[in-house]
Amino acid sequence: MRPFDQRLEEARALSWHEFGKRIVFYLPGMFRCNGAAGCYPAVSVTGAHCALGCEHCKSALLKPMIAADSPETLLQKGLALASAGNVGMLVSGGCDARGCLPWPRFLPALKLLKERTGLHISVHGGFLDADTAHGLKNAGVDQVLLDVIGSDETYERILHIQNGLARLQRTLDVLAAVDMPVVPHVICGLHNGQMLGEAGALDMLAPLRPRLLVLLSFMGLPDTPMRAVPPPPAEAVADILCLARLRLPKTEISLGCARPRGDSLLETLAVDGGVNRLALPSEEARQRAAHYGLTIEYSKTCCSVTSGPSEASWLTSDEPARAVTVLR
């Protein structure tokens, strides 16, 4: 057996020991698959604007989101989403030049929205200070999603941020101080498609023992400077998954939706490595899970959310799943 296969087997066995032989497939709110739509849409509090101009994004990830660039609009859109039957929402947006989002301005609207709807609210945090972390907690935000990048060189060259590691550590510290649930996201290959800092990111997270870790894989987006950069090999991402399992044995691991479309090899390797959650699964991923005899559950939310009863499957054996971005 190859050493790589041995690592997958070890990670899979450890995952099954800790969490059982089960997997949850997710259909996030901004996607449609085989006629089904997710129930957890994404909203941007800055519209399509972001001051950082990161090399891998250039605001491309914000454009499909629902624009709500004022507290009044955020409340209005949130109420409408709740009335339409959505179970929650991801509130995100672009950063200012410091890597921060304008959360203080939106805290009253978030609090009112939570009180009036009971929606599950995730925020994509950016860098936070103690006051803002406390404000998000008091507003009733359920969880903070946080990109954990383990290299200052990546922060500087890709995100145009100085001293990113130190600022990231401070953000993790203030969130821990207010007991805010944090779902770290580690983006494999963000450094021009190369693996740099991913292991360091896991080192930062190990003492925190997060309940859930989301792994992502760089994908070249159109109209960005990195559009032609190849993503990291599926095996390299799977190796990080195995490393994460060994360093964080009590942490659930998800393969998130931000990854190259159509890479069924990455998905099947993730199942081989005992991944606990997988967004936008292919039919190949479902078949691999069935091969292992896993209990399969389905949810129409972000993979960071632990939902209630399992949804009906939107995968069929005769129609491969194809996820399409939905503009709302």
Side-chain angles (χ1 to χ4, degrees):
M1 181 183 295
R2 297 182 302 163
F4 174 65
D5 295 323
Q6 291 177 336
R7 292 192 293 275
L8 288 173
E9 185 176 25
E10 183 179 4
R12 182 170 69 249
L14 181 55
S15 178
W16 290 356
H17 177 267
E18 295 292 341
F19 301 103
K21 293 183 64 174
R22 61 184 292 271
I23 191 169
V24 184
F25 291 147
Y26 287 83
L27 180 61
M30 297 300 290
F31 295 87
R32 186 179 299 275
C33 186
N34 290 342
C39 300
Y40 207 93
V43 176
S44 172
V45 296
T46 65
H49 177 73
C50 178
L52 283 180
C54 301
E55 298 298 305
H56 69 294
C57 177
K58 296 294 183 183
S59 298
L61 294 172
L62 299 176
K63 292 175 182 177
M65 296 183 185
I66 300 167
D69 55 3
S70 72
E72 296 77 16
T73 304
L74 176 61
L75 180 59
Q76 176 190 15
K77 297 287 188 181
L79 292 172
L81 291 173
S83 296
N86 291 283
V87 299
M89 58 192 292
L90 167 61
V91 187
S92 185
C95 294
D96 61 19
R98 302 171 300 127
C100 301
L101 280 80
W103 294 125
R105 181 179 172 220
F106 288 89
L107 291 176
L110 286 170
K111 183 176 179 63
L112 188 56
L113 184 60
K114 185 68 175 180
E115 291 172 348
R116 293 180 62 179
T117 68
L119 285 170
H120 191 282
I121 298 178
S122 310
V123 301
H124 204 167
F127 293 131
L128 300 170
D129 58 25
D131 288 342
T132 305
H134 192 266
L136 290 170
K137 178 78 172 183
N138 284 346
V141 168
D142 293 282
Q143 58 183 190
V144 171
L145 315 186
L146 189 66
D147 293 334
V148 178
I149 296 165
S151 166
D152 264 332
E153 186 179 353
T154 303
Y155 269 117
E156 293 172 6
R157 291 183 56 182
I158 307 300
L159 279 73
H160 310 147
I161 290 175
Q162 300 293 319
N163 302 314
L165 279 176
R167 299 185 64 198
L168 171 62
Q169 187 62 62
R170 285 196 294 271
T171 297
L172 289 168
D173 291 343
V174 299
L175 288 168
V178 300
D179 195 28
M180 169 63 80
V182 178
V183 181
H185 287 49
V186 174
I187 309 170
C188 297
L190 184 60
H191 195 87
N192 289 313
Q194 304 169 15
M195 306 298 280
L196 177 68
E198 290 82 358
L202 297 178
D203 289 339
M204 295 182 72
L205 295 172
L208 302 177
R209 299 178 181 177
R211 183 184 62 81
L212 172 65
L213 167 68
V214 177
L215 292 181
L216 308 173
S217 180
F218 164 75
M219 53 181 178
L221 297 174
D223 302 321
T224 68
M226 294 173 63
R227 60 188 176 276
V229 173
E235 292 83 354
V237 180
D239 251 337
I240 293 296
L241 186 151
C242 293
L243 183 61
R245 171 54 59 222
L246 296 178
R247 293 191 182 180
L248 300 164
K250 304 291 187 180
T251 297
E252 283 194 68
I253 299 176
S254 176
L255 182 64
C257 62
R259 64 179 194 269
R261 301 287 172 251
D263 190 350
S264 59
L265 175 59
L266 174 55
E267 298 176 33
T268 54
L269 288 176
V271 177
D272 289 340
V275 74
N276 308 107
R277 307 180 181 202
L278 201 162
L280 304 178
S282 63
E283 176 61 19
E284 290 86 348
R286 190 200 65 79
Q287 291 177 358
R288 187 61 61 94
H291 165 75
Y292 286 119
L294 303 185
T295 297
I296 301 174
E297 300 177 15
Y298 299 85
S299 178
K300 294 178 181 178
T301 70
C302 288
C303 68
S304 65
V305 177
T306 299
S307 63
S310 179
E311 302 267 358
S313 171
W314 55 87
L315 293 177
T316 60
S317 58
D318 59 347
E319 183 181 4
R322 301 185 184 279
V324 180
T325 301
V326 179
L327 304 181
R328 302 190 185 188

